[in-house]
Amino acid sequence: MEIDCRAAGGPEALDSIWMSQSPIPAASGIAWALGWMAEEFAGDGIAIKRVAESGLRLVAPDPERQARHHFREAGNIQALAARSLGAPTRVIGLTWIDEGQAIVVRPDTRVLEPADLRNLRFALPGFARTRGESIARGMALHGIQSALALGGLTLGEARLVEVPAPPIEQPSAAGMRRLWLGLDWLAAGRVDAVYIKGAAAAEAAARLGLVVGIDLDSYPSRLARVNNGTPRPITVHADMIDDHFDIVVRFLEQTLRAADWAAGNPAELKHILARETLAGISGVEAAYRGDFHRSLHPDLSPDRVDMLEKQANFLWLHGFLEHRVDVARWIDPRPLDAALARRAGLERYRAAAR
């Protein structure tokens, strides 16, 4: 007879853990692609599986059970929206990866500096089936506000033109094109500017002959780039920390190991990111520039926590969250502290053995 360990008061036995399959650059996804996650947990009889999301739900046969064993390194809008609805998740790391945030325009539109954005018509995707699932709208609205602020402007000094909300669907190359529908409106002259982010968007803009008007990544202040992926939280169900703390720590160890690998292997990394982001090499090179490959390590630094709080406040003020999220209470630093301590101990052991 099979015993339900949770009903009996003990931790639920693990035979699988789940990782979100999101079209983003993530060290945990790189560790999975390199086979390190599977290798780490094979001896425990634990399979590592990717799971897609549809809005705030997992696309899985038993989503409630899988949510308890789910690691998510993906955009903060859905994570914050789920938390605002009471999801028992914890943030165990934050990453910051500049990924080609920009305002694009047609070549005949004169935009040399942020002040030139005054009175332009910006594409703003409509709300999805719920406000918390309205990722395209949340990204665009914050990106537009940030670009305007660089020129001392406010949202009231631009014209926001609603375009249809992209459908809520599982990640795919075609779905990524639908996410940036505003680009088609821009090419057709129905709007004057569109916020974009990431490799697939950069490819789509180039394919339509559009050009970058304002490169948000080029400005020194990170405040100009606080958005859905900056910072990007790594979340896990609180039960995993309580019942399987060592598994959580080992997951983070492999994530940190992959970030180390990425720092020294930029050429190989581009091919992994092309697969992960559902884009081509040209899109990856356009979106991820400079030393981005050295910045995949998660941490919980005060700077990143402060940026997540700013994003949470923005989403609350603009109606994307049902309730305010207390970011400080959402974070649990213990697993990352333990992973970093283990890695430091391993480095000391290796140094002593030399």
Side-chain angles (χ1 to χ4, degrees):
M1 183 175 87
E2 185 174 325
I3 298 173
D4 185 339
C5 296
R6 290 182 64 82
E12 185 176 6
L14 279 182
D15 57 16
S16 301
I17 59 178
W18 301 81
M19 296 174 54
S20 282
Q21 184 175 358
S22 299
I24 56 157
S28 59
I30 295 166
W32 181 87
L34 292 170
W36 293 349
M37 288 293 186
E39 179 183 275
E40 173 67 24
F41 297 107
D44 303 277
I46 298 174
I48 310 299
K49 301 178 181 179
R50 302 295 289 272
V51 62
E53 299 175 354
S54 177
L56 301 182
R57 296 189 291 272
L58 298 181
V59 181
D62 187 358
E64 289 188 10
R65 181 173 186 270
Q66 283 154 328
R68 292 198 299 272
H69 307 150
H70 177 219
F71 291 88
R72 183 180 190 275
E73 183 176 357
N76 61 48
I77 293 177
Q78 284 178 267
L80 283 160
R83 179 64 176 173
S84 78
L85 292 169
T89 54
R90 297 291 181 269
V91 175
I92 56 173
L94 291 167
T95 62
W96 184 287
I97 304 161
D98 286 322
E99 46 187 332
Q101 293 190 64
I103 303 297
V104 295
V105 296
R106 291 184 300 278
D108 60 355
T109 301
R110 183 185 179 279
V111 175
L112 301 178
E113 57 185 31
D116 295 331
L117 300 174
R118 186 193 300 271
N119 293 328
L120 293 188
R121 297 171 299 165
F122 283 86
L124 180 64
F127 280 108
R129 63 189 175 194
T130 68
R131 290 182 174 243
E133 294 172 319
S134 303
I135 299 169
R137 185 182 182 92
M139 287 194 299
L141 189 62
H142 206 167
I144 293 165
Q145 183 191 72
S146 296
L148 290 167
L150 290 169
L153 305 175
T154 66
L155 285 170
E157 293 173 277
R159 289 179 284 171
L160 303 179
V161 179
E162 288 219 357
V163 302
I168 295 173
E169 56 187 325
Q170 298 178 42
S172 68
M176 291 302 291
R177 288 192 292 272
R178 286 188 284 271
L179 181 63
W180 304 104
L181 174 64
L183 294 173
D184 293 322
W185 282 48
L186 176 57
R190 300 174 70 180
V191 296
D192 304 314
V194 172
Y195 164 84
I196 65 167
K197 184 270 295 182
E203 275 193 336
R207 190 164 50 245
L208 291 169
L210 305 172
V211 297
V212 172
I214 302 297
D215 180 358
L216 293 172
D217 287 7
S218 69
Y219 288 82
S221 173
R222 286 189 168 189
L223 287 174
R225 298 189 293 284
V226 172
N227 210 298
N228 181 47
T230 39
R232 183 172 286 124
I234 304 175
T235 58
V236 69
H237 197 288
D239 286 350
M240 279 293 289
I241 298 176
D242 294 339
D243 299 339
H244 303 286
F245 186 81
D246 186 64
I247 297 294
V248 179
V249 173
R250 288 161 60 193
F251 177 92
L252 287 171
E253 285 184 282
Q254 294 306 313
T255 298
L256 291 162
R257 178 188 174 197
D260 286 347
W261 176 89
N265 296 275
E268 295 92 332
L269 176 63
K270 287 178 184 178
H271 292 281
I272 292 176
L273 292 188
R275 294 194 299 271
E276 290 286 301
T277 63
L278 305 173
I281 294 296
S282 62
V284 169
E285 291 177 340
Y288 310 115
R289 295 164 287 173
D291 288 337
F292 87 93
H293 59 290
R294 302 184 189 279
S295 61
L296 297 175
H297 296 80
D299 68 30
L300 289 169
S301 61
D303 178 62
R304 289 185 185 175
V305 172
D306 179 62
M307 297 299 181
L308 183 61
E309 288 175 339
K310 285 180 167 55
Q311 171 73 342
N313 290 336
F314 174 88
L315 294 173
W316 164 249
L317 289 171
H318 290 276
F320 293 92
L321 304 181
E322 292 296 323
H323 305 282
R324 280 190 181 273
V325 173
D326 186 332
V327 169
R329 292 186 61 189
W330 191 24
I331 292 170
D332 189 336
R334 294 175 297 161
L336 185 58
D337 287 346
L340 292 170
R342 286 188 187 180
R343 283 167 57 84
L346 181 60
E347 286 301 315
R348 288 194 296 270
Y349 173 80
R350 287 173 175 167
R354 291 190 187 110

